[in-house]
Amino acid sequence: FIEDYVEPGRSHCYMYDDGSFVTYLYQGLQDASVLIHEAGGHGFAGLLDEYVESQYEGLTLPDDKKTYLDNVWTLYGRGANVDWRNDVSTVKWKHFLEDSRYGNEGLGIYEGAYLYSYGAYRPNENSIMRNNYADGVQFNAPSREQIYKRIMQRSEGSSWTYVYEKFVEYDAI
């Protein structure tokens, strides 16, 4: 069991280390973007929340959560959209920061992610993993890259090899 934050009465996605997931949607939910956030973002792509939860407002990401973020990334390829590193040369999405083709997407290193106000960073000001109720909010580039990787891994199998330029070509569409 990978995701460790659960709050009763809210939509949620449970992610497992074998790549499977179960999504629970709050009864009466009318907004499809929550389904996209939970099942598509968390479940399928293994993305993490980019928002700050009220009980963690003003708090800094603890060291054990940094280790957790590193482990789920290294072991399972999950969490491409959240990092505890705030250095442009080491953050997970540095390749996008260095690529002028993504210069108009507002990518950077924004503090406040993985439920904590400080010490956890996201790739842009807003995305569907931060605010799934805002009109027009979409997945950011690192999240789209992870979705692409999952689709290709599952459709092409172990023979598939990731090539960044092929993703950029696909993403441009």
Side-chain angles (χ1 to χ4, degrees), residues 155-171:
S155 66
E156 303 300 316
S158 60
S159 64
W160 179 77
T161 302
Y162 177 73
V163 177
Y164 176 71
E165 288 303 322
K166 290 208 179 269
F167 163 73
V168 172
E169 181 181 315
Y170 175 81
D171 195 41

Side-chain angles (χ1 to χ4, degrees), residues 88-153:
V88 295
S89 67
T90 59
V91 72
K92 290 176 189 171
W93 51 89
K94 73 176 191 151
H95 54 291
F96 289 111
L97 301 177
E98 297 167 345
D99 190 334
S100 62
R101 294 171 289 188
Y102 287 90
N104 65 345
E105 291 201 20
L107 296 173
I109 302 174
Y110 295 82
E111 192 164 35
Y114 196 55
L115 312 179
Y116 287 85
S117 294
Y118 306 108
Y121 303 90
R122 62 188 188 277
N124 65 342
E125 185 62 41
N126 203 11
S127 82
I128 199 163
M129 297 310 292
R130 181 161 192 243
N131 183 357
N132 53 17
Y133 290 107
D135 287 337
V137 175
Q138 300 177 4
F139 288 106
N140 53 43
S143 297
R144 293 192 310 270
E145 179 185 41
Q146 191 60 29
I147 292 166
Y148 171 82
K149 285 178 178 179
R150 290 280 190 243
I151 290 170
M152 296 306 291
Q153 288 164 345

